[in-house]
Structures are given as structure tokens and as C-alpha cells.
């Protein structure tokens, strides 16, 4: 288990083979879950036999990046306040994927040009 501070709130990161029983129904088919109420990020370890060990590690890291973006959107208030129902842009999986995939590239660009 590892902890990370997201906008002043500590989240615990758990790499698991299965989600806890109380999250199994919610997480059915998911590779990771961000539980904003308990401040936990669960990453289901990638056990795909068709991947190399480094491929499985990259998959776990990608899933963790995705979960961290969910936590940032939640802690900033955007998940709860962007819409009155689930499905707001701040909870949209495609939007979260975009941020998770592009953030390292954007960070690298900022670093290269000295604007951090």
C-alpha cells in the first residue's frame, strides 16, 4: 500500500488481485477504482498472460494514472458539481483517459521548455 496527497487529501493506493467485496459489483470489468468517499484507489493487477512482465507493469501504471486523475477531479469538486447526475464531463471515462494518457506528455513538454 502506498499513500499519495491529492490536493491536500491523502489517498491510499492498493494494488490488488481482486477488489474488496463491497466494491466488486461497482468494479465489475474495471481495471481500477477510485473510491472518493473512503479516499482509496484500487488497482487490479494486470494478469494478462498475453503480455510480458513489462507490459503488465505498464498496464498497472496506466490504470494508476487514470485513478489519480479521477481523484484530482473529485477533490477539485468537479466530479460532484459538474452535473447533478452521474455522467458529467468530469466523470466521463474518455475524458479521464485523455488526461491520464496525455498528462505525462504535457508535463514533459512543460519541462523541456522550462515553464513548470
Amino acid at each position: 500500500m502506498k499513500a499519495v496527497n491529492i490536493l491536500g487529501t491523502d489517498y491510499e493506493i492498493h494494488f490488488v488481485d481482486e477488489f474488496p467485496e463491497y466494491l466488486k459489483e461497482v468494479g465489475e470489468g474495471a481495471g481500477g477504482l477510485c473510491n472518493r468517499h473512503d479516499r482509496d484507489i484500487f488497482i487490479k493487477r494486470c494478469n494478462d498472460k498475453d503480455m510480458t512482465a513489462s507490459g503488465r507493469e505498464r498496464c498497472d501504471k496506466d490504470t494508476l494514472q487514470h485513478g489519480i486523475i479521477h481523484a484530482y477531479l473529485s477533490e477539485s469538486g468537479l466530479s460532484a458539481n459538474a452535473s447533478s447526475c452521474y455522467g458529467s464531463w468530469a466523470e466521463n471515462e474518455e475524458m479521464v483517459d485523455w488526461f491520464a494518457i496525455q498528462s505525462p506528455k504535457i508535463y514533459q513538454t512543460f519541462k523541456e521548455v522550462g515553464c513548470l
Side-chain angles (χ1 to χ4, degrees):
M1 181 175 54
K2 187 176 191 171
V4 64
N5 187 284
I6 306 288
L7 298 176
T9 301
D10 291 331
Y11 276 71
E12 291 185 9
I13 298 170
H14 309 268
F15 286 90
V16 298
D17 291 318
E18 295 292 330
F19 294 128
E21 192 63 37
Y22 68 96
L23 292 174
K24 282 189 177 180
E25 186 176 315
V26 173
E28 191 175 325
L33 291 171
C34 177
N35 184 334
R36 66 185 171 131
H37 301 292
D38 289 331
R39 309 302 200 269
D40 288 314
I41 299 172
F42 291 94
I43 307 303
K44 193 185 294 183
R45 287 185 193 93
C46 181
N47 292 319
D48 192 330
K49 305 294 184 223
D50 294 334
M51 288 186 191
T52 63
S54 62
R56 288 190 293 275
E57 183 179 339
R58 181 73 249 156
C59 181
D60 290 345
K61 287 180 181 179
D62 290 347
T63 304
L64 178 56
Q65 288 173 341
H66 183 98
I68 288 171
I69 295 296
H70 272 297
Y72 267 96
L73 291 170
S74 177
E75 290 306 317
S76 69
L78 291 172
S79 289
N81 296 319
S83 175
S84 61
C85 63
Y86 182 80
S88 69
W89 72 267
E91 291 182 339
N92 177 282
E93 291 300 314
E94 290 171 344
M95 180 66 72
V96 173
D97 272 346
W98 186 89
F99 278 112
I101 292 167
Q102 302 310 326
S103 292
K105 299 169 191 169
I106 294 167
Y107 173 81
Q108 185 60 39
T109 301
F110 287 172
K111 188 175 170 184
E112 285 175 16
V113 300
C115 68
L116 284 176

